[in-house]
Amino acid sequence: MAEQADKRQPVEAGGRGAENRERIVAAADRLFYEKGFQATSFSDIADAAGVPKGNFYYYFKTKDALLEGVIDWRRQCLKKLLNSLNVQHDDPRERLMTLLTGLCAGEDDIVRYGCPMGTLSAELCKTGHEMKEQAQSLLETIREWIATQLQAMGRDDAPEFAREILTRSQGVTLLAHAYGDHHLLVEEMARVRHWVSAVLDGQPH
Amino acid sequence: MAEQADKRQPVEAGGRGAENRERIVAAADRLFYEKGFQATSFSDIADAAGVPKGNFYYYFKTKDALLEGVIDWRRQCLKKLLNSLNVQHDDPRERLMTLLTGLCAGEDDIVRYGCPMGTLSAELCKTGHEMKEQAQSLLETIREWIATQLQAMGRDDAPEFAREILTRSQGVTLLAHAYGDHHLLVEEMARVRHWVSAVLDGQPH
DNA sequence: GTCTATAGCCGGATAGAC
DNA sequence: GTCTATCCGGCTATAGAC
């Protein structure tokens, strides 16, 4: 999927230095998304966050630790998003469709940088990074949420159906990113929504 | 899609040194696929190819030039694959289904390293590499081939349908890679084939 | 054409003053 | 907690002997 890890609301946990920590994580989050993990250097982050390089190591011992912080951050953002959907809509079908529609909210970012979860997962898997399971779990979280909605609609194929929805969404974002094609993203996501609706309305899939 | 760029048949163009060149490209191709472009160093390639580092620069001025060589190589492999499908089957539908079935040939590689075209495209897009269009054109080549087959079947939605097939296939390989899940790849690809068949048999899509 | 040695740079990480 | 100065290693790339 492709929700932007937006809505950056620092928690201010513990006053003082937490501020700087947030700044670092937020800057790293954005840069890891835009340029990828490997291609982002501490200098890049330092410039973006306005924090001198040396200070990083007070908060994060290694670059990997910083990545861990970023993934946790994304997880929190994702949970907030899913929670707000749960709160805003009682009908699970409405929840799901709202999620699928929301994917086009961060349109431009997705065309430029792809899905924050999908691209991170792909990069970490390829480089064999220890943190790849953490990235994968982001995708799994969203798949489970979708499955939960489908189950609430009484579907006994919830797990497989959810997987297929995730699969198709990821395919759309990957191609839209690869082609840099805005229309592709919008049209194909509409197609996915249409397909989901049709299946929910009883068409075999 | 996810064909392995296998069937490495050096062309022996120009005798002598061409041999070494092939070795370098073949090794780089494999390593770029397994580890990604950025994460692969000349040392890695040198070890794998059994060619000293310094010798690289006789054939390729820069790492980017080497990447170009690798992409050309993949393009040739892809064209060979598509040509052989054209030759082996007269029926466009058979051609298409054979292609979709063939995606599971390199099963293990795809689960470990993803689709050679999709992952490369994603990496080059994210890092803003000049060669990203070249990688994209690999995907486009396969999409066009699929569209050609569909058109030969008399479908007037050939371009969109082809795009959707590509989209779904890419989604499957991305998730199979991210999850490292062999079953996911096999099952979801079967689902894609089933869906294509159903649409071709007249079911609305 | 082939290969060794090495330059030059930039990355992540450290030490330690303030 | 904050920041400067610096180390060390690996990388791409080059020079030049053979």
Side-chain angles (χ1 to χ4, degrees), chain A residues 57-85:
Chain A
Y57 294 89
Y58 174 74
Y59 297 104
F60 304 97
K61 306 303 176 203
T62 67
K63 198 186 181 188
D64 287 355
L66 177 52
L67 174 61
E68 194 174 357
V70 168
I71 293 181
D72 281 345
W73 172 276
R74 291 193 188 180
R75 175 173 296 112
Q76 285 175 32
C77 292
L78 177 60
K79 290 206 169 146
K80 271 181 209 160
L81 171 69
L82 298 180
N83 276 335
S84 80
L85 286 174

Side-chain angles (χ1 to χ4, degrees), chain A residues 93 96-105 161 165 168-169 172 185-201, chain B residues 164:
Chain A
R93 178 163 174 169
L96 177 57
M97 297 314 285
T98 305
L99 175 72
L100 292 178
T101 309
L103 295 186
C104 292
F161 194 6
I165 292 174
R168 292 188 65 159
S169 303
V172 171
L185 177 66
V186 175
E187 285 169 25
E188 290 290 325
M189 275 311 301
R191 217 181 269 258
V192 170
R193 285 198 303 275
H194 180 264
W195 160 73
V196 170
S197 290
V199 174
L200 289 177
D201 286 336
Chain B
E164 206 172 347

Side-chain angles (χ1 to χ4, degrees), chain A:
Chain A
M1 248 48 158
E3 302 67 37
Q4 293 320 291
D6 281 341
K7 325 198 169 178
R8 308 269 145 84
Q9 298 300 355
V11 193
E12 285 309 339
R16 305 309 294 114
E19 216 172 276
N20 247 346
R21 201 193 133 99
E22 289 286 344
R23 292 246 301 272
I24 293 171
V25 172
D29 173 45
R30 187 66 200 173
L31 285 166
F32 287 174
Y33 176 45
E34 290 181 7
K35 309 181 42 162
F37 174 67
Q38 305 176 84
T40 302
S41 72
F42 277 134
S43 303
D44 296 330
I45 305 171
D47 291 347
V51 174
K53 279 171 52 174
N55 201 1
F56 284 29
Y57 294 89
Y58 174 74
Y59 297 104
F60 304 97
K61 306 303 176 203
T62 67
K63 198 186 181 188
D64 287 355
L66 177 52
L67 174 61
E68 194 174 357
V70 168
I71 293 181
D72 281 345
W73 172 276
R74 291 193 188 180
R75 175 173 296 112
Q76 285 175 32
C77 292
L78 177 60
K79 290 206 169 146
K80 271 181 209 160
L81 171 69
L82 298 180
N83 276 335
S84 80
L85 286 174
N86 286 341
V87 170
Q88 284 168 23
H89 304 275
D90 285 335
D91 180 20
R93 178 163 174 169
E94 248 180 88
R95 285 177 189 160
L96 177 57
M97 297 314 285
T98 305
L99 175 72
L100 292 178
T101 309
L103 295 186
C104 292
E107 261 175 284
D108 291 336
D109 276 352
I110 288 167
V111 170
R112 283 203 205 184
Y113 314 117
C115 164
M117 294 178 287
T119 55
L120 181 64
S121 240
E123 181 180 359
L124 298 185
C125 280
K126 187 141 282 211
T127 55
H129 197 286
E130 320 146 337
M131 214 77 75
K132 66 183 173 187
E133 282 85 6
Q134 303 289 329
Q136 180 208 101
S137 82
L138 292 178
L139 288 168
E140 185 58 11
T141 297
I142 207 163
R143 197 196 63 81
E144 279 170 1
W145 182 88
I146 294 175
T148 302
Q149 308 315 313
L150 293 171
Q151 207 159 22
M153 297 180 224
R155 296 200 66 96
D156 56 352
D157 62 345
E160 302 85 31
F161 194 6
R163 195 170 72 177
E164 207 172 346
I165 292 174
L166 188 61
T167 295
R168 292 188 65 159
S169 303
Q170 283 296 322
V172 171
T173 56
L174 188 144
L175 239 68
H177 181 212
Y179 280 77
D181 188 335
H182 198 270
H183 289 313
L184 194 157
L185 177 66
V186 175
E187 285 169 25
E188 290 290 325
M189 275 311 301
R191 217 181 269 258
V192 170
R193 285 198 303 275
H194 180 264
W195 160 73
V196 170
S197 290
V199 174
L200 289 177
D201 286 336
Q203 198 176 100
H205 93 293

Side-chain angles (χ1 to χ4, degrees), chain B residues 20 52 54-55 58-59:
Chain B
N20 247 347
N55 201 0
Y58 174 73
Y59 295 104

Side-chain angles (χ1 to χ4, degrees), chain B residues 15 102 151 169-170:
Chain B
Q151 207 158 22
S169 302
Q170 283 296 323

